[in-house]
Amino acid sequence: MGVLAAFQSVALFHTLSAALQSSSTTQIHSNTMAPACENNNPTPPRLSSILPPLAKHSRRIYLLRHGETDWNASGKIQGSFDIPFNENGQRQAVAVAAHLDDIPIGVVASSHLSRAKETADTLWKNRHSTTAKPDVIVDASFAEMSFGELEGLVSRDPDLDPMTKRRFSTVTERVQRDIDFAFPGGGESTAQVEKRAKRALYRILKNYPEEKHIAIVSHGRTNKVLISSIAFEDVRKFAQVRQSNACINVLDVDENGKWTTQKLNHIEHVKNNVIVRL
């Protein structure tokens, strides 16, 4: 989840891979909410116009993070809590739909948590393309990582008691070092999230072999784990990946199972209406 990234060291971000450095948001370093888009602001170009053509025998995955919730705005750790997106999250989801509208997406999948499911539903309902409506899949395997006893905490709360702050720091650092270490209090490990999310992704690829364009709406930490696993081939790099609300990641996979990153944390469609944190 994105709020945990606040505890990563500055040095860690200087080790980002070339793929991350070429993504659309690597130079955004704001930790405040930008003003909402004005009506006279130009509409950003659709995503299709800035992506390379899909290679023959390849398929394209559009991995999205859900629209903003009130807990996102306040920096509260959501995890398995089912928090719906707020009005701004709704606007972000509509912007995502417009940004992807001319892409012939055949499948829209999401986690079962309402903030992701509502984002996926908005994407589906607001498609104006002449192509057929995509199939919709709800799969709990795309749910956010369970952060155990840390869920519900405001990670940047200045009033958080020192003991809890130390506990928070110790646990998050341990999770980053050890992919098999699960968050205390019934939480998950990075390896567990990787296993379930990858299994769900490959299940869709197997069940829809003819679909070239597939959208998946998931969550901050789950996206980070999935991207680092399939794109960087090293799930330990998850802490290097940024994921803003309503961002789009574009990943191509060829017939041999090789993944190519086209976009990471792309937010041009919501760049004036999204919180971006280090």
Side-chain angles (χ1 to χ4, degrees), residues 3-243:
V3 295
L4 291 180
F7 286 87
Q8 299 162 2
S9 67
V10 174
L12 181 59
F13 287 106
H14 289 298
T15 66
L16 292 178
S17 68
L20 278 171
Q21 292 172 345
S22 64
S23 71
S24 60
T25 58
T26 52
Q27 295 185 1
I28 296 177
H29 301 293
S30 171
N31 60 1
T32 59
M33 181 62 138
C37 297
E38 299 293 340
N39 292 334
N40 59 355
N41 279 358
T43 301
R46 284 179 170 174
L47 184 59
S48 61
S49 69
I50 57 177
L51 287 174
L54 183 61
K56 189 177 181 180
H57 302 308
S58 289
R59 305 166 76 184
R60 184 159 283 173
I61 302 296
Y62 305 85
L63 181 61
L64 285 60
R65 187 184 177 196
H66 60 80
E68 181 190 277
T69 70
D70 287 342
W71 280 30
N72 288 142
S74 65
K76 188 177 291 187
I77 299 173
Q78 294 172 119
S80 56
F81 275 95
D82 194 5
I83 310 300
F85 63 12
N86 56 25
E87 290 184 8
N88 192 49
Q90 169 68 35
R91 290 191 293 269
Q92 292 172 341
V94 171
V96 168
H99 205 47
L100 298 174
D101 189 50
D102 63 337
I103 295 173
I105 293 172
V107 178
V108 176
S110 79
S111 93
H112 68 296
L113 295 173
S114 60
R115 57 192 183 272
K117 187 175 181 299
E118 289 170 357
T119 303
D121 288 345
T122 302
L123 173 61
W124 187 88
K125 293 174 183 176
N126 285 271
R127 285 186 64 78
H128 304 294
S129 173
T130 57
T131 59
K133 288 285 189 180
D135 287 348
V136 178
I137 299 170
V138 177
D139 192 333
S141 294
F142 289 122
E144 178 60 299
M145 185 176 200
S146 172
F147 296 99
E149 65 184 26
L150 299 187
E151 292 184 359
L153 292 179
V154 179
S155 59
R156 291 173 299 281
D157 186 353
D159 297 324
L160 201 63
D161 68 270
M163 183 176 295
T164 302
K165 282 185 178 181
R166 286 195 297 272
R167 174 67 169 164
F168 188 98
S169 178
T170 299
V171 169
T172 54
E173 288 174 3
R174 175 74 184 276
V175 169
Q176 290 179 17
R177 292 195 312 269
D178 183 358
I179 65 170
D180 293 312
F181 177 77
F183 280 95
E188 291 181 288
S189 69
T190 301
Q192 288 173 320
V193 175
E194 178 188 27
K195 181 178 179 179
R196 64 169 167 81
K198 284 182 69 174
R199 182 178 294 173
L201 170 61
Y202 282 105
R203 183 163 53 241
I204 292 174
L205 290 171
K206 178 181 178 181
N207 291 343
Y208 293 88
E210 301 304 317
E211 296 297 344
K212 295 290 188 180
H213 299 268
I214 297 169
I216 300 171
V217 185
S218 188
H219 304 261
R221 177 59 68 89
T222 300
N223 281 3
K224 292 180 179 186
V225 169
L226 193 53
I227 290 168
S228 60
S229 179
I230 64 177
F232 302 151
E233 299 181 342
D234 185 354
V235 73
R236 292 169 178 81
K237 294 182 178 180
F238 76 86
Q240 300 176 17
V241 182
R242 298 179 190 172
Q243 292 290 279

